[in-house]
Amino acid sequence: MQARMLLLGCDGQVGWELQRTLACLGEVTSTSLCGRYGLALDLLDRDAVASAVRRHRPDFIINAAAHTAVDKAESEIELSARLNAEAPGLLGSLAAEQGATLIHYSTDFVFAGDADRPYQEEDAASPVSVYGQTKLEGEQRLLATGADTLIFRTSWVYGNHGHNFMNTMLRLFKERDCLRVVDDQIGAPTWSRMIAEVTAQVVNRLGFAPSDSAHLRGIYHLTAGGETSWCGFAQRILELSGEACRIDPILTRDYPTPARRPAYSVLDNTKLNKTFGIKLPDWKLSLAQCLADRLARMKYLG
Ligand SMILES: NC(=O)c1ccc[n+]([C@@H]2O[C@H](COP(=O)([O-])OP(=O)(O)OC[C@H]3O[C@@H](n4cnc5c(N)ncnc54)[C@H](OP(=O)(O)O)[C@@H]3O)[C@@H](O)[C@H]2O)c1
């Protein structure tokens, strides 16, 4: 298979990894907001996005761009809505027009967080933040276009490239003797590389059987196995990093933030497993691999 792929947001955590995992499947045109990596393309510039899609005539559009600053979104409501809700709708229309398959990402934050078992795709979404609300609207607008689209809802994304909880912890372990970390929000930390690996496997599968895109369209949960709290995640990062720091568990109410977050947002990945035969490993295993990769890079790159 030699697919033509248009990647948006190639400088983000997931987009960065996608550049590598998609590379062996065909011709990837990577774009980012600043244009430092790949071509410059602003997702808010509707004409530029439309002309990029029409010019490249991709078989797959992969949208890893989004407004992901959960707390900022509470005060940047319009920006969040344009990027997370309107832009997926535009991309969906363009994908439908061009007969392309659109891969898009969404979030565990579409759920309220009051469940007592992992959320399934068809469970009622009821976001408690602007970010969650706009991402949910993006899913709905995209599905309404009728495009062949797969929407992967993932959670608590981390990796060696980009801004994320793991990188913040690794920095703070060096700066502080003691940290207080929220222990009553439960989710599944998911390595950006794993999301990109799964995306490439799915693109590969659809590339060989394009007619499958239509009946496989819809939402899929795509997260690491297992679950933990932010405090449990921090503890594990500390153990694996070999740094010294005390971590004290605290309650959400002791760490007020502009955006509310779901108390429990573990996703059930059964549909992904049944449809594509893919199951991500436990979050602890991926975290160990990610940190091993980081150490190896530091050793060689200094
Ligand atoms: N991060 C998480 O914990 C998490 C959890 C669940 C789901 N997700 C979803 O997973 C997907 C990937 O997330 P991620 O963690 O990789 O996000 P990320 O690291 O924040 O990357 C998002 C990318 O979008 C780019 N972007 C922002 N505004 C843009 C614009 N106007 N035009 C083009 N690009 C623009 C950003 O560029 P700049 O950096 O230059 O602004 C950034 O490179 C998103 O759909 C997100 O909602 C993420």
Side-chain angles (χ1 to χ4, degrees), residues 66-131:
H67 187 282
T68 57
V70 177
D71 286 320
K72 266 194 184 170
E74 296 295 311
S75 52
E76 296 180 349
I77 300 174
E78 197 198 327
L79 179 62
S80 189
R82 289 180 69 200
L83 271 166
N84 293 343
E86 289 172 25
L90 170 67
L91 289 172
S93 311
L94 289 164
E97 173 197 294
Q98 296 292 315
T101 300
L102 174 56
I103 310 263
H104 178 71
Y105 301 93
S106 190
T107 172
D108 55 330
F109 282 20
V110 298
F111 293 113
D114 48 6
D116 54 7
R117 52 142 181 92
Y119 283 101
Q120 295 171 341
E121 286 79 354
E122 61 279 6
D123 284 334
S126 179
V128 294
S129 64
V130 169
Y131 170 71

Side-chain angles (χ1 to χ4, degrees), residues 3 27 29 53 68 75 102 112 115 139 151 184 186 202 238 281-282 300:
E27 184 190 313
T29 303
V53 171
T68 57
S75 52
L102 174 56
E139 293 179 358
I151 301 172
D184 57 352
I186 305 297
V202 170
L238 181 68
D282 189 89
Y300 290 109

Side-chain angles (χ1 to χ4, degrees), residues 20-33:
R20 195 178 54 80
T21 61
L22 296 176
C24 54
L25 299 177
E27 184 190 313
V28 185
T29 303
S30 296
T31 71
S32 66
L33 178 59

Side-chain angles (χ1 to χ4, degrees), residues 88 137-147 149-151 217-219:
E137 223 180 296
E139 293 179 358
Q140 293 164 342
R141 286 187 187 219
L142 178 42
L143 290 169
T145 63
T149 183
L150 281 80
I151 301 172
R217 75 190 294 274
I219 297 172

Side-chain angles (χ1 to χ4, degrees), residues 11-14 41-43 65-66 68 83 105-106 131 135 154 157:
D11 194 19
Q13 297 193 77
V14 174
L41 184 62
D42 183 349
L43 199 43
T68 57
L83 271 166
Y105 301 93
S106 190
Y131 170 71
K135 291 294 292 185
T154 188
V157 180

